[in-house]
Amino acid sequence: MRAPQESKLPITQDDCLALDAADPLSALRAQFALPEGVTYLDGNSLGARPKAAPERARAVLEAEWGDGLIRSWNTAGWYDLPVRLGDKLAPLIGAGPGEVVVTDSTSVNLFKALAAAIKLQADSPENGHRRTIVTERDSFPSDIYMAEAMIAWLDRGYRLRLLDSWDQLPDALNDDGGVAVVLLTHVNYRTGRMFDMGAVTAQVHAAGALMIWDLAHSAGAVEVGLTAAGADFAVGCTYKYLNGGPGSPAFIWVPQRHQGAFSQPLAGWWAHRQPFAMQPAFAPAAGIRRALCGTQPIVSLALVEVGLDIFAQAPLAGLRRKSLALTDLFIALVEQRCAGHGLTLVTPRPHAQRGSHVSFSHPHGYAVMQALIARGVIGDYREPQVMRFGFTPLYTAYADVWNAVHTLAAILDRGDYQIDAARGAVT
Ligand SMILES: *Cc1c(COP(=O)(O)O)cnc(C)c1O
């Protein structure tokens, strides 16, 4: 059968079932606990629970903590866990061993990366004068807040330049001549638009600035090549596509070439060369451990491994192919079945510019999403008017796409979202 998006014929439910039957990745779904009657399209915000997670948590609580007690820092490998998990995650983002740690939150890691990048520039004879940090106005707000807070805290004349659209980047880099750091989210959380990491990094470097990537909506969803792109630093989440569990620790990437000069302001004892020497003077650890701060949340960290282990069974190239097939199918079906209902595609159509979620705007987007959720189709809503649908290739079926669009079309055809709203179901 031809892929539905290439066909002019209406896509049928049978087409979707046939795609599932032929999908080499379909068996992976069985490794996730997905409730009956739910079509889950929000794995870009909180990944589904791997079935193996409770058993892993139990082992940490009972054997490692209960029986092992403090000995488990060594005997159960707790102390090395942030680095060991970082090495497991590294291939998913095109990083090398000893370059990633899983620790703290994305916001906190961003603060460290930004501080390190600013200091690298400030210490360089030719770049010391640079005082501008560039990011997008459409960035995830926490990223902007952290950059603003860093600038206010430094109080040394740094300023934030917010791009209104990404094609303003060349101007920002040229105009100013003083850009120290560019911080961009690889896949935009709202629109699903993806940057060309290699091209943008090269452009930023050509202007003498450093490049930080936020991979919150990329890691585990799209192929990422940090080393190939020659990027400077990166951070990202593990509770989205990596299925580490609510609030699971994030990651930070510091390439080997920057590790010697990497200096961050949250240098707690876990970043020390000899934490147990209990020296009053700080001396940073030689490698990636210097990106750590203090004692790590071992139960949460342990669950990150359960999510990462599933990726060992599925090459990312295959996952990306399926993700694109799912998002293509979703766009085509929505356009076939929901035409004339005021939906506008927000996500770019070209594959090279698309992550693993699709956003449509609708004047009543919030109410429509509430109506979908009330009928078991879980996506989410982001201001203004944007309905987001995430397609996690590990566990989303083509039949889920059919169900979601079938339900959406029924809601729009019948105006159910207005009826729900009038009944007070929308709060
Ligand atoms: C989800 C997300 C975050 C989350 O940061 P936390 O510190 O984990 O709350 C940060 N940045 C982006 C771009 C995100 O999508």
Side-chain angles (χ1 to χ4, degrees):
M1 179 190 143
R2 278 195 298 164
Q5 68 273 15
E6 293 167 13
S7 164
K8 294 279 173 273
L9 296 172
I11 303 158
T12 67
Q13 187 171 20
D14 283 345
D15 293 335
C16 297
L17 294 171
L19 284 169
D20 282 324
D23 173 14
L25 299 174
S26 62
L28 291 168
R29 182 183 175 93
Q31 297 185 37
F32 291 89
L34 290 162
E36 273 301 308
V38 165
T39 300
Y40 192 59
L41 300 181
D42 216 356
N44 54 313
S45 200
L46 175 63
R49 173 170 71 78
K51 283 185 182 158
E55 196 184 306
R56 181 76 192 107
R58 186 185 306 277
V60 174
L61 294 176
E62 291 184 354
E64 296 182 8
W65 181 18
D67 299 335
L69 289 166
I70 200 165
R71 293 168 291 189
S72 287
W73 284 110
N74 298 315
T75 56
W78 289 351
Y79 183 71
D80 288 325
L81 199 52
V83 176
R84 197 165 63 73
L85 293 179
D87 284 344
K88 244 184 199 185
L89 196 153
L92 297 178
I93 56 173
E99 295 188 332
V100 181
V101 273
V102 179
T103 183
D104 299 330
S105 68
T106 303
S107 304
V108 170
N109 287 333
L110 191 65
F111 192 80
K112 298 174 197 167
L114 198 51
I118 287 172
K119 180 150 171 51
L120 268 181
Q121 292 288 58
D123 289 350
S124 122
E126 67 271 29
N127 291 327
H129 64 285
R130 293 168 179 264
R131 286 288 180 279
T132 303
I133 295 161
V134 172
T135 193
E136 282 188 292
R137 197 179 301 281
D138 195 26
S139 292
F140 188 76
S142 195
D143 295 27
I144 299 177
Y145 305 156
M146 295 306 280
E148 281 175 339
M150 162 85 53
I151 286 169
W153 183 252
L154 281 173
D155 194 18
R156 284 192 208 152
Y158 284 92
R159 66 185 195 103
L160 191 63
R161 175 152 176 176
L162 294 174
L163 306 176
D164 288 305
S165 91
W166 66 272
D167 49 21
Q168 292 176 349
L169 180 62
D171 272 355
L173 290 170
N174 283 334
D175 255 16
D176 203 293
V179 177
V181 183
V182 176
L183 158 66
L184 294 172
T185 300
H186 182 224
V187 175
N188 184 274
Y189 79 103
R190 185 192 285 118
T191 63
R193 185 223 53 220
M194 182 166 74
F195 278 112
D196 180 336
M197 181 177 281
V200 173
T201 302
Q203 204 176 5
V204 167
H205 282 172
L210 294 177
M211 183 71 231
I212 304 177
W213 289 104
D214 185 331
L215 304 176
H217 285 275
S218 309
V222 302
E223 291 164 283
V224 177
L226 287 170
T227 305
D232 295 293
F233 303 103
V235 300
C237 279
T238 66
Y239 54 77
K240 293 172 178 165
Y241 290 102
L242 296 176
N243 310 305
S248 59
F251 62 86
I252 177 167
W253 171 71
V254 181
Q256 299 281 358
R257 73 176 195 282
H258 283 326
Q259 286 182 1
F262 180 83
S263 150
Q264 53 105 350
L266 304 177
W269 71 306
W270 274 50
H272 196 281
R273 182 169 303 166
Q274 291 177 292
F276 293 97
M278 302 293 170
Q279 289 300 309
F282 181 78
I288 188 64
R289 288 195 76 96
R290 67 174 60 190
L292 297 173
C293 181
T295 308
Q296 300 300 304
I298 296 300
V299 183
S300 291
L301 261 186
L303 294 186
V304 172
E305 184 157 32
V306 179
L308 289 176
D309 280 345
I310 299 177
F311 284 90
Q313 307 160 38
L316 211 47
L319 291 171
R320 173 64 172 157
R321 265 197 304 279
K322 180 173 175 188
S323 156
L324 286 169
L326 289 165
T327 53
D328 276 341
L329 175 67
F330 182 72
I331 293 169
L333 262 176
V334 168
E335 290 180 344
Q336 272 185 20
R337 310 239 1 227
C338 307
H341 281 303
L343 290 169
T344 307
L345 180 65
V346 173
T347 305
R349 276 175 210 273
H351 284 177
Q353 295 171 27
R354 191 194 306 163
S356 202
H357 68 272
V358 175
S359 301
F360 278 96
S361 67
H362 185 277
H364 301 286
Y366 179 76
V368 175
M369 182 50 74
Q370 291 300 308
L372 277 166
I373 294 170
R375 287 156 184 77
V377 177
I378 302 181
D380 63 24
Y381 174 79
R382 288 291 179 270
E383 293 294 343
Q385 304 188 347
V386 175
M387 296 190 284
R388 286 196 313 182
F389 301 89
F391 299 89
T392 303
L394 286 174
Y395 53 77
T396 307
Y398 295 94
D400 291 331
V401 177
W402 174 268
N403 286 337
V405 180
H406 184 72
T407 308
L408 176 63
I411 288 168
L412 293 170
D413 285 345
R414 295 196 301 245
D416 283 353
Y417 62 95
Q418 288 154 332
I419 299 168
D420 284 4
R423 280 199 195 116
V426 177
T427 50

